[in-house]
Structures are given as structure tokens and as C-alpha cells.
Amino acid sequence: IALENARHYEETRRHLTELETRQRVMAATLQTLDLDERLSIALAETRQLVEVEMGGIYLVERDRLILRAHQGLPDDLLARLRDLPLAETPWAGQTTVRRERLSERGSQVDEAGKRAGVQSWVAAPLKVEDRLVGTFYLASRRYEAFCEADLRAFSSLADQVAVAVQNARLYTEGQ
């Protein structure tokens, strides 16, 4: 019974932390009209919740993904990720989790990522009414960085960020 109570307590604590993070992200989107500031706050809060070292938020601009907010990225990785062709980025439109140990020679983490120590990353699309407006991603130096609860929370926060992006764009268009 003690183990069951401890597990239940931990699940409840995690859920409360996720709800608090969602509330802070929502409050940030209401406090500022500056889209880049909204994205930076959402990224910082999400990184803290999921406990990862790196992340970024891309927005679709014409046929490209442009990195509009980033945190924790080394310069060489940042240079590689700043501007990506949408057509060559298959992970942009679907939730994707990739893991690869630094010693492995696969295609889950590219060489610039490995030089930065990245062993796992997750990306979630930012969609509004089935239209891709961007992509949210997190990366970690830990191989097992993302558990199922992290992925659910991340996906939910990505949905919230998509709405914030859409609202900011609608406000800008109305000006």
C-alpha cells in the first residue's frame, strides 16, 4: 500500500506541476503581445517542466522553418538549425521522438547534435485547424530524457503555443 500511495502522490504532484506550467504559459500569452516574448516564455517553462537542456520554437514562413525562440543551443548547432527548408524536414508536421547514443552511428541525431551531446529529442507540430504554423522541439543530453508523461505534457503545451501564435498573428493583421 505504501508503494501505491507513493506512486499516486508522484502522479498527482506531476499533474499539478504540469497544470501550473500551463497556467504560466497562458498568463504569459495574455500579458504581452510580442510574439517572440511569448515563445521564449513558453519555451523556458516547458524546458523547466520536462527538465531538458535545449529547445526551440520554429514558425513557418513561406516554405521554411525559421527558429524564432531558442535556449541552450551551442553556437554550431544553432547555426545549423536557424533556418530549415520545410520540404526537407519530415518531423515538422508530426510528433516525433528520436534517441541515439553518442557512440552510435545512425540517423536519429545528426553530427552537429552529437557534438553538442544530444542523445534524444522530441518535436511537436504547432497546428491551427490542421494548418502547420510551426514546430516546437526539445533536446537532451540524456538518452532516456522523455517519458510518456513528458510527451503528453509537451504535446499539450505545443497546442497552447500554436493558439498563442495564431492569436498574435491575428492581432498583428488587425492593426
Side-chain angles (χ1 to χ4, degrees):
I1 274 194
L3 288 176
E4 181 66 24
N5 285 344
R7 186 186 61 74
H8 182 67
Y9 172 79
E10 183 58 30
E11 287 174 2
T12 302
R13 187 194 62 75
R14 172 136 181 103
H15 185 66
L16 178 61
T17 302
E18 179 184 337
L19 290 173
E20 290 170 342
T21 299
R22 289 179 61 126
Q23 188 278 328
R24 285 191 300 272
V25 170
M26 180 62 72
T29 63
L30 296 173
Q31 290 173 353
T32 180
L33 297 173
D34 181 85
L35 179 57
D36 290 329
E37 188 175 344
R38 287 178 175 191
L39 297 177
S40 291
I41 292 168
L43 176 57
E45 291 291 345
T46 305
R47 280 183 56 222
Q48 183 177 344
L49 175 68
V50 181
E51 299 176 352
V52 296
E53 303 88 352
M54 297 169 247
I57 300 176
Y58 288 95
L59 296 183
V60 174
E61 294 181 16
R62 291 182 286 284
D63 61 346
R64 307 206 59 85
L65 286 172
I66 305 300
L67 189 61
R68 292 285 297 268
H70 60 85
Q71 297 169 0
L73 298 173
D75 290 340
D76 64 331
L77 187 56
L78 178 59
R80 161 127 171 40
L81 297 176
R82 190 174 298 280
D83 180 348
L84 302 173
L86 186 57
E88 296 173 23
T89 316
W91 49 264
Q94 61 190 17
T95 300
T96 304
V97 180
R98 301 279 196 246
R99 291 183 178 89
E100 188 170 280
R101 297 197 187 282
L102 293 175
S103 60
E104 295 175 348
R105 291 285 171 222
S107 61
Q108 303 300 310
V109 177
D110 69 10
E111 288 306 312
K114 285 191 176 186
R115 282 192 301 278
V118 172
Q119 295 192 78
S120 60
W121 60 271
V122 60
L126 303 178
K127 289 186 175 182
V128 175
E129 298 175 1
D130 292 328
R131 184 175 51 90
L132 184 68
V133 297
T135 300
F136 195 167
Y137 82 93
L138 300 173
S140 179
R141 293 181 178 95
R142 293 176 291 122
Y143 182 78
E144 295 289 341
F146 306 104
C147 67
E148 286 301 317
D150 290 336
L151 296 175
R152 281 191 305 275
F154 177 59
S155 181
S156 177
L157 285 162
D159 291 342
Q160 195 171 338
V161 169
V163 171
V165 168
Q166 180 67 11
N167 288 345
R169 286 182 171 169
L170 290 172
Y171 177 79
T172 301
E173 289 170 8
Q175 290 294 326

